[in-house]
Each structure stands twice: as C-alpha cells, then as structure tokens.
Amino acid sequence: MRVYLLVMLVAAAVTFLTTPFARWLATRTGAITAVRDRDVHTIPTPRLGGVAMLLGLVVAVVLASQMPFLEGVFVSDVDGVPIADTRAWGIVGAAAIVCVLGVADDIWDLDWMTKLAGQVLAAGLMASQGVVLFTLPVGGFQALPSSRVQLAVTILVVVVAMNAVNFVDGLDGLAAGLVAIGGTAFFLYSYALTLRTTPDDYSSLATLVVAALVGVCVGFLPYNFNPARIFMGDSGSMVLGLVISGAAIVVTGNIDPGETSGAERLPAFIPLLLPLAVILLPLLDMGMAVARRLLAGKSPFHPDRMHLHHRMLALGHSHRRAVLILYVWTAVFAFGAVALVRWDARTVAVGLGVASVVALVLTLGPLRTRGRFLDDQDLAAAPPVAVVSAPRPAPGAGAVPDARVTNPPTTTSPSKEA
C-alpha cells in the first residue's frame, strides 16, 4: 500500500508544481476560455490544465517502473521467461495522444469529427498494447466472440468514457473531484482484489494507474476549485476518461467466469459495475444531453445549459455547494459499489438507501437559496448590460477609464462543450 501511496503522492506533487507552467502555456498560446452565455466563470480563464495532469501521470508511471515492488506490472512471467508487459505504456501513450488532441482543440477549436478520430486512434493504440475488454456482464460473464469485436467494444467503451467526463466538466473542480472520489473507491477495491487473487505479488497495473489518476486530480484541484485559476480543458477531461476506462478494462482480466456463481456472482460484477458507478453522473449527464438534443432536432454536440450542474444552480445552490453535493452523490454510488465486496447485498442496499436520502436532502433541502440560475428565457428577457462612458480627462488630469461595465450578466459552465 505504501508504494501505491508514494506513486499517488508523486503524481499529485508533479501536477501541482507544473500547473502554473500549463497556465503560462495557455496564456501564451491563446488557449483561454472566454465568457459565454452558458458559463459560470466571469473572467476569461486559461484551459490547458491537462498538460500538467499528463506530466503527473507520466512521471508517476516512470517512477513506478523503477520500483522492484511493481516489477510485475511491467514484466510478465510466461513459462518462466520474463516478457515485457506494455499495457502501462499503452495507457500512458494513449493519454499523451488525447492530451495533444485536447491541446489542439483548446487552441484551435477542432471539429467534432477530428476529435472523434483522435479518440478512436488513442483507444486503438491502448488496445494494441493489450488493454482489451474480453468479457461483458450479459447473462453472467460472456466472452466476446472475436478479436475484432473485442477491439470494437474496447474502443467504444473508452470513447464513451472520455466524452462523459468532458460533458460533466462544467463547474470549477467538478470533473477532477468526481474522478478523485470515484477513483479512490476504485483504488481501494483494486488493491483488495490484488491481495485476494495474488497474495504473493501485490503489484497491479489497475491499482497503479488509478493511484496515479487520483494523484493528478488531487494535485490539480487546488488550482481548479472555485474560483478556478485554470481549467483542465479537453486535454484534461479526455485524459481522465481514458485512464479510468483503461484501469476498468485491465481489472476485468482478473475475473474467471467459471468461478463466479451464486452468492459470489454479484461481487464478481464489481470490476465492471464500479467504473460505471465512478462515472455514473457523467454518463447520466451525457445520455440526457444527447437524448434532449436529438429530441429537439439538434446535433448531440449542440451546447445548452441543461446539464446536471446547471440544474443544481437552478435549484438555488451556490457554485461551491453544487459541486460538493455532486461529490456526495459520486461517493454514494462509488463506495456503495465497493461495499458489495465486504457486505451482503441487503446490508449494502439499506446503507445505500440511507446515504441516498441524505444526499437527496442536501440536494433539495433547506440549504438552497432563493436565487436561481437564469435560463435561456430569463437571459432573453433581461435588460441589456449598461455601459457608462466616463468623460475624457482634462489635459494633465489623471487617467480615467474610457468605459465601465455595470451589472455584468450571469453566466454558466466552464466546459467547452457543456
């Protein structure tokens, strides 16, 4: 456990120390998120935080590759012959691809087809290095019939995860916090699974990757929590989605369908259920957004202000409170899934019910204020921004600003897409 915590600490420290560099890079390249009608931030904000997150991930994995304790992650023993295991490097390489793709999008605003092609390329690279989904929880655990189907399903899962995290990246600290909380639950489960399945070797690729992932999120949050000094941008959200999906796919390799039956069946589904619980809110948000836009006759990528975080603001929650309540919901789902490993389903269901009631009270209860988030109709009916011109100073007089904006409009969401 101490080795994994060291990896997590290194990832957090590197991310924290390099985020100012990412912010400087964003200002130099023009990767600035302007204030739009659907945004919550009120000043233009740099958005290349994913660069620092990738650096934290790379340094943590490189350090881990030099640790004897984690040698089993990078070298596999096949019939007594040591063979290099490239899955960790496949995840890192794929993360680098989507980070570069996200940087290009944050600077030049790429079209959705180019981004999708880059996401498929990154997922394909990861799969080519052995990070492949072999089974699906359909009527038990069913092996996917062919390598082509495995590749296609793997790419689909990874692309969906990347876009889900991107969709939910709409409030300061939201995406990083959700992944950090869910990733912590995933880390604890993966470590416990390693202790149970390989008691003679505690090295685990999934545990290592998730530890580094939690570390980069924790290291980035001090700069990203409200009021954010930098956004992760697409370069960060896609890295988070890719890494968490990669870790989930790796864990499925520890499942033996022939040994799961009866009372063991539900806990055996945890490797696939837990990643869904970790990004349940992002997946729910993305699904609702796509359905909503298609039913309105619009593109599924058409931006609007009906995301979950917008609805939290509409309920009267402040920016920070909305984020913290969504943190609570993620903790309920993620740790509820992990609890199935230790306790029976009935006990977990009761605890999950109580926790859900508490989260619901926080969401709909007396913490809300009377103010609410303005919707499209509100903004359309709002009076125009008043611009008061100041008189020009007399010769020799002190400088006076040419104009001053009063009553700035309310805005929503730092996410590029959202």
Side-chain angles (χ1 to χ4, degrees):
M1 174 68 79
R2 288 178 294 180
V3 172
Y4 292 117
L5 293 179
L6 175 61
V7 171
M8 189 182 300
L9 178 62
V10 169
V14 172
T15 303
F16 180 80
L17 293 175
T18 56
T19 297
F21 164 74
R23 191 175 187 278
W24 172 85
L25 183 64
T27 58
R28 296 283 299 200
T29 58
I32 306 293
T33 303
V35 179
R36 304 160 302 180
D37 286 344
R38 63 182 185 275
D39 293 333
V40 234
H41 63 287
T42 56
I43 60 174
T45 306
R47 60 172 183 240
L48 290 185
V51 173
M53 302 174 89
L54 176 66
L55 291 174
L57 175 68
V58 170
V59 172
V61 174
V62 170
L63 175 66
S65 68
Q66 305 302 312
M67 295 180 176
F69 179 86
L70 296 173
E71 182 181 4
V73 172
F74 301 93
V75 178
S76 298
D77 190 352
V78 180
D79 297 329
V81 179
I83 299 177
D85 189 333
T86 59
R87 290 179 299 168
W89 303 119
I91 294 175
V92 172
I97 290 177
V98 295
C99 183
V100 171
L101 177 69
V103 169
D105 183 47
D106 289 335
I107 296 174
W108 295 297
D109 197 16
L110 305 177
D111 62 89
W112 70 268
M113 292 186 64
T114 302
K115 288 194 291 185
L116 181 60
Q119 292 172 350
V120 170
L121 175 64
L125 171 65
M126 195 166 66
S128 70
Q129 300 304 308
V131 184
V132 180
L133 191 62
F134 295 104
T135 60
L136 286 179
V138 179
F141 284 99
Q142 300 296 329
L144 294 174
S146 67
S147 59
R148 290 185 178 180
V149 174
Q150 293 167 0
L151 175 62
V153 174
T154 299
I155 291 175
L156 176 63
V157 168
V158 175
V159 170
V160 168
M162 283 190 284
N163 285 284
V165 176
N166 183 45
F167 267 66
V168 83
D169 182 26
L171 294 178
D172 296 354
L174 182 56
L178 295 186
V179 174
I181 293 169
T184 299
F186 199 169
F187 169 76
L188 294 175
Y189 166 75
S190 178
Y191 183 74
L193 180 66
T194 301
L195 296 181
R196 186 177 64 187
T197 57
T198 55
D200 297 329
D201 183 7
Y202 293 165
S203 62
S204 165
L205 173 58
T207 309
L208 166 64
V209 169
V210 174
L213 180 66
V214 172
V216 299
C217 291
V218 171
F220 184 65
L221 269 174
Y223 296 97
N224 187 233
F225 199 73
N226 182 256
R229 287 175 280 174
I230 185 173
F231 299 148
M232 67 174 64
D234 286 5
S235 59
S237 62
M238 290 194 292
V239 166
L240 296 186
L242 181 138
V243 173
I244 194 69
S245 61
I249 291 170
V250 168
V251 170
T252 62
N254 292 323
I255 305 173
D256 184 355
E259 295 181 359
T260 58
S261 61
E264 296 180 352
R265 180 62 57 86
L266 186 57
F269 276 96
I270 300 302
L272 296 177
L273 293 179
L274 182 54
L276 293 177
V278 170
I279 60 172
L280 180 60
L281 289 182
L283 286 174
L284 177 63
D285 191 28
M286 184 179 71
M288 292 172 59
V290 170
R292 180 175 65 248
R293 294 164 185 175
L294 290 178
L295 290 175
K298 299 178 181 178
S299 165
F301 299 96
H302 179 78
D304 60 30
R305 293 184 297 173
M306 297 293 290
H307 289 280
L308 289 177
H309 47 272
H310 292 139
R311 297 175 186 271
M312 292 294 293
L313 296 175
L315 288 173
H317 292 293
S318 66
H319 188 133
R320 289 191 177 188
R321 189 184 300 125
V323 171
L324 293 175
I325 291 175
L326 291 174
Y327 284 178
V328 171
W329 279 110
T330 298
V332 169
F333 295 136
F335 286 96
V338 172
L340 288 170
V341 178
R342 184 175 180 86
W343 293 285
D344 62 272
R346 179 175 299 179
T347 301
V348 173
V350 172
L352 191 60
V354 173
S356 297
V357 169
V358 173
L360 191 62
V361 170
L362 292 175
T363 304
L364 303 176
L367 290 178
R368 294 181 297 160
T369 59
R370 292 186 178 182
R372 64 187 181 87
F373 179 68
L374 298 178
D375 58 21
D376 292 329
Q377 294 180 352
D378 292 328
L379 288 176
V385 177
V387 179
V388 181
S389 296
R392 292 187 179 274
V400 178
D402 289 336
R404 180 171 300 170
V405 179
T406 62
N407 190 27
T410 304
T411 53
T412 69
S413 176
S415 170
K416 280 193 63 183
E417 180 283 332

